Amino acid sequence: MKINIAQPIIGEAEQEAVMEVLKSGYIVQGPVTAEFEERFAEFHGAKHAIGVNNGTSALIAAMMAHDIGVGDEVIIPGFSFFATASCVLSTGATPVFTDIDPETYNMSPESAESVITENTKAIMPVHLYGQIADMSAYEALCEKHGLILLEDAAQAHAATSGGKFAGSWGTASFSFYATKNITTGEGGMILTNDDAVNEKLRMIRNQGMSTQYYHEVVGYNLRLTNMASAIGLKQLDSLQAWTDARIANAAYYDETLREYTTPKVVPGNVHVYHQYTLRVPQGANRDKIMETIQEQGIGARVYYPAPIYAQPIFQKMGYDNISLPETERACAEIFSIPVHPALTDEEREYIVDKLNAALELA
């Protein structure tokens, strides 16, 4: 049996939608993108949605729209994908790394508050693995210190906390990469309820233009194509059903896996399980367990094997004196298993059987 860690679902509806765009001759950003933006915003209860070419561009554009740049500090978790930090560097600002909550793996508000300085301009929690961070705490922190609140929601399509969707607290950036909960192949989206931020983002993604050939701000070509948007519209039709399937798969694992620490869902949160991430029991060999189940055809990966600040580029930049204990412990003890909506009952049972058996060999 071969079970992939992720399984993009592209059906006839997506294929037909792309062909309609190709036949129309209107393949760059246009009316299909506008419709995708409108529906994505409506789904998440946001006022504005701005489509861009990928999730990294979404993060960079969001920071540019808030005038984050040289001399500014942006507080982010040390435990995330590299783009969370590289987007800060791309604006000329300085990333400041903080530790995580050991149960949710999201950034710790207490750790974030401890590194606020006079140069801090923004805080950007990551809704890691599909669970919204403690946004009420970050909202209070930003209000207290006069900071901008951003959301790295790349993995949090349809996630909620207290009935509020990702994107309800700050300018939020999503990714539609192939492994995400919905995909456009490559693509991204930014949600905001701020009219001025919306206007600036639309210029930034289109070479800084307000009208044709009149450039008001520095911008780039970050446009989302109509072809990608056509796929996204059809994927959006399935998002709730796929989210329900991910939650059901996660519930099955919660009930049947032995000894592993399974994901903690904060009361009031809807975790959408972009990844289902386990922590191995104390004393168990994480790498041996992974090797065992991978040899049996089960896709398993570590997200993420090293803190961002431990990456070579950051070590060269002087981040070699940082130590965040919960981040480093997670990097050594966690791994993710398939939870995508294409899993069959037989595959779920197989995964659980092999995982439980692997403990005896570790």
Side-chain angles (χ1 to χ4, degrees):
M1 190 173 289
K2 175 66 175 174
I3 310 172
N4 295 326
I5 186 69
Q7 184 64 55
I9 303 173
I10 302 292
E12 290 185 8
E14 286 88 348
Q15 296 172 39
E16 291 172 0
V18 171
M19 288 306 300
E20 286 300 313
V21 170
L22 292 173
K23 290 174 184 177
S24 75
Y26 203 156
I27 61 176
V28 296
Q29 178 181 292
V32 181
T33 297
E35 183 183 356
F36 184 34
E37 290 172 336
E38 182 179 351
R39 286 194 52 206
F40 194 82
E42 181 181 7
F43 185 100
H44 288 88
K47 190 173 182 180
H48 305 289
I50 303 92
V52 292
N53 57 347
N54 58 60
T56 303
S57 293
L59 291 167
I60 295 170
M63 293 195 176
M64 291 176 65
H66 286 278
D67 298 319
I68 292 169
V70 177
D72 296 328
E73 294 177 350
V74 179
I75 296 172
I76 59 173
F79 190 61
S80 182
F81 182 58
F82 183 75
T84 301
S86 65
C87 68
V88 180
L89 293 178
S90 295
T91 68
T94 301
V96 177
F97 296 106
T98 59
D99 214 349
I100 58 171
D101 180 297
E103 294 185 309
T104 66
Y105 309 112
N106 279 327
M107 186 166 71
S108 159
E110 293 77 17
S111 182
E113 185 169 24
S114 72
V115 296
I116 293 174
T117 72
E118 62 181 11
N119 296 319
T120 304
K121 188 161 185 178
I123 300 178
M124 187 169 71
V126 178
H127 304 319
L128 198 66
Y129 303 141
Q131 177 163 214
I132 290 178
D134 187 353
M135 296 308 293
S136 60
Y138 290 115
E139 197 169 39
L141 268 183
C142 287
E143 184 175 347
K144 177 181 177 181
H145 296 277
L147 305 176
I148 297 162
L149 182 56
L150 304 173
E151 299 178 58
D152 183 339
Q155 303 177 1
H157 317 67
T160 63
S161 179
K164 297 169 66 174
F165 283 95
S168 297
W169 294 271
T171 303
S173 300
F174 294 78
S175 170
F176 301 131
Y177 180 66
T179 61
K180 295 299 189 291
N181 291 30
I182 61 172
T183 183
T184 61
E186 288 281 10
M189 192 75 77
I190 307 162
L191 295 183
T192 181
N193 293 316
D194 187 311
D195 293 343
V197 170
N198 168 62
E199 183 178 350
K200 192 169 183 180
L201 281 167
R202 293 186 185 280
M203 290 190 286
I204 289 169
R205 70 154 176 203
N206 191 29
Q207 304 287 12
M209 290 189 288
S210 56
T211 55
Q212 191 81 15
Y213 302 125
Y214 288 87
H215 306 262
E216 295 192 27
V217 299
V218 173
Y220 305 97
N221 177 3
L222 308 179
R223 295 185 294 268
L224 183 65
T225 69
N226 273 348
M227 291 178 291
S229 297
I231 296 171
L233 278 167
K234 297 304 178 184
Q235 293 270 301
L236 195 55
D237 289 338
S238 300
L239 177 55
Q240 191 56 59
W242 289 344
T243 299
D244 292 344
R246 287 177 180 273
I247 292 170
N249 290 337
Y252 178 81
Y253 290 146
D254 289 345
E255 294 170 2
T256 54
L257 286 169
R258 299 197 314 265
E259 297 186 48
Y260 297 96
T261 300
T262 56
K264 176 187 176 180
V265 181
V266 175
N269 279 8
V270 173
H271 193 323
V272 297
Y273 297 99
H274 169 64
Q275 299 294 345
Y276 186 92
T277 299
L278 298 165
R279 190 188 290 269
V280 298
Q282 187 173 7
N285 187 320
R286 188 270 309 275
D287 294 339
K288 178 63 176 176
I289 291 172
M290 281 188 59
E291 179 184 349
T292 298
I293 66 171
Q294 286 170 341
E295 288 174 351
Q296 294 166 325
I298 298 170
R301 292 188 185 178
V302 178
Y303 302 105
Y304 300 91
I308 304 176
Y309 56 82
Q311 296 293 338
I313 181 62
F314 281 103
Q315 292 290 289
K316 293 176 185 176
M317 293 174 64
Y319 286 84
D320 54 346
N321 61 346
I322 294 178
S323 179
L324 301 176
E326 292 300 342
T327 292
E328 290 158 19
R329 190 164 74 91
C331 288
E333 295 178 355
I334 60 94
F335 69 103
S336 299
I337 59 174
V339 73
H340 57 79
L343 284 177
T344 65
D345 290 349
E346 180 186 9
E347 288 171 334
R348 292 191 319 190
E349 293 169 7
Y350 180 82
I351 290 168
V352 168
D353 287 345
K354 299 306 180 185
L355 272 170
N356 287 335
L359 280 172
E360 300 175 8
L361 305 174

